[in-house]
Amino acid sequence: MVYVVPYSHVIFLAAILFLLGAVCALARRTLIMILIGVEVMLSAVGLVFVAASMRWQQLGGQAFVIFIMAVAASEVAIGLALIVYSRRRTGTIDADRYNLLKG
Amino acid sequence: MSIYAVIFYILAVIIVTFTVMAITRRNLMHSIVFLVGSFLTSAVLFYLLGAPFLAIMEVVIYAGAIMVLFLFIVMMLELTPEESDWWGFVRPWLWPLGLTVVCLAVIFVYLIFASGSGHKLPLVMASPLTFGRFLFHKYWLGVEIASYLLFVALVGALYLGRGEDIGG
């Protein structure tokens, strides 16, 4: 039987991608880049599900990736609509400039 | 090391490079294009890991729908790139990067010592027919709920995007 790679290597790659997404969401100040960071994190989780599905030879992991994609699509639709809305109200999409409550 | 392992490591390097380039660009348009490349390479990786249907869905939904939606919004808002000096751009990266290095070290050590992490993934392929039958046989309720979620997102986006009486 032909083998691809050890399970842990795929998990480590997914961990790197997830943390890159988290760093992007934490460090960037543009709202669109924060959403992009969340997208990268969701994609990394999908990679873990596919690898686990292959590891245990069960199709349930692949089924959950479909649900993750549905959640990601609706999250992006709502998030971008919110960004357009707040840009119209405040004129900026820089997260640091939303300081209306600041004393 | 089989040819599949070589392909996996090459794909991994390409994906991480594309993602790092994407999250560090100041110009939003550049980072979105790099991210499209990252998702396309992820689709090839999904195919290698035995999920051809999910590879197609990754191209269609992530690289096709979601990233094009980002492109439309960036073009619609006529954004200017972030204006800050070099240190002002780099400073917020320091503590997340520190936490990331610590986190990766912990995961690395754990994966070395965890039982079963050396288990090798066999080369198998779930055909789209098998996968579709499984999905609609066992998770039909989840599929319905996902479609309902997409409908709610559509209504919410329409409500937030309506034109009148928005002035703050």
Side-chain angles (χ1 to χ4, degrees), chain B residues 25-158:
Chain B
R25 294 304 95 184
R26 282 192 181 197
N27 193 330
L28 285 174
M29 208 60 108
H30 294 174
S31 69
I32 288 169
V33 172
F34 275 119
L35 210 59
V36 169
S38 162
F39 284 142
L40 287 179
T41 324
S42 295
V44 183
L45 189 60
F46 279 10
Y47 192 85
L48 180 71
L49 291 177
F53 182 70
L54 291 179
I56 296 170
M57 292 308 271
E58 179 96 0
V59 173
V60 170
I61 295 181
Y62 270 106
I66 292 180
M67 283 301 125
V68 169
L69 201 60
F70 273 108
L71 275 183
F72 276 149
I73 296 297
V74 171
M75 286 192 279
M76 203 179 87
L77 293 182
E78 297 174 18
L79 301 167
T80 49
E82 294 175 31
E83 294 155 7
S84 56
D85 52 344
W86 183 82
W87 177 243
F89 184 73
V90 168
R91 196 176 55 84
W93 291 84
L94 293 180
W95 67 265
L97 275 181
L99 284 182
T100 299
V101 170
V102 174
C103 216
L104 275 183
V106 171
I107 292 171
F108 186 73
V109 173
Y110 175 73
L111 284 180
I112 287 177
F113 291 107
S115 66
S117 64
H119 187 282
K120 292 205 166 183
L121 298 175
L123 188 69
V124 289
M125 190 75 85
S127 76
L129 181 67
T130 320
F131 177 63
R133 281 203 176 126
F134 174 83
L135 187 66
F136 281 95
H137 187 74
K138 204 167 177 185
Y139 290 104
W140 60 271
L141 185 61
V143 174
E144 296 298 325
I145 293 173
S147 70
Y148 189 67
L149 176 70
L150 287 170
F151 178 68
V152 170
L154 173 69
V155 172
L158 277 177

Side-chain angles (χ1 to χ4, degrees), chain A residues 2-5 7-9 20 23 28 30 33 36 39 43 54-55 57 62-63 67 69 74 87-88, chain B residues 2 5 9 23 25 28 35 39 49-50 62 77 79 82 93 100 117 119 121-123 131 153 162 166:
Chain A
V2 186
Y3 293 101
V4 184
V5 281
Y7 179 57
S8 55
H9 292 198
L20 281 177
V23 167
R28 298 300 294 261
T30 316
M33 285 310 289
I36 282 178
E39 285 307 308
S43 176
M54 208 181 180
R55 159 86 164 74
Q57 302 287 306
Q62 296 194 11
F67 300 140
M69 282 178 181
S74 44
R87 157 85 183 215
R88 259 194 249 158
Chain B
S2 64
Y9 293 122
I23 69 173
R25 294 304 95 184
L28 285 174
L35 210 59
F39 284 142
L49 291 177
Y62 270 106
L77 293 182
L79 301 167
E82 294 175 31
W93 291 84
T100 299
S117 64
H119 187 282
L121 298 175
L123 188 69
F131 177 63
R162 76 201 191 289
I166 295 171

Side-chain angles (χ1 to χ4, degrees), chain A residues 8-81:
Chain A
S8 55
H9 292 198
V10 188
I11 298 296
F12 195 65
L13 171 65
I16 292 175
L17 285 178
F18 187 91
L19 288 170
L20 281 177
V23 167
C24 179
L26 286 172
R28 298 300 294 261
R29 287 171 302 175
T30 316
L31 288 180
I32 290 182
M33 285 310 289
I34 295 176
L35 262 188
I36 282 178
V38 174
E39 285 307 308
V40 173
M41 288 159 77
L42 283 172
S43 176
V45 171
L47 183 59
V48 176
F49 269 116
V50 170
S53 166
M54 208 181 180
R55 159 86 164 74
W56 280 281
Q57 302 287 306
Q58 304 269 333
L59 274 175
Q62 296 194 11
F64 269 85
V65 179
I66 293 284
F67 300 140
I68 288 178
M69 282 178 181
V71 169
S74 44
E75 170 247 329
V76 157
I78 293 286
L80 285 175

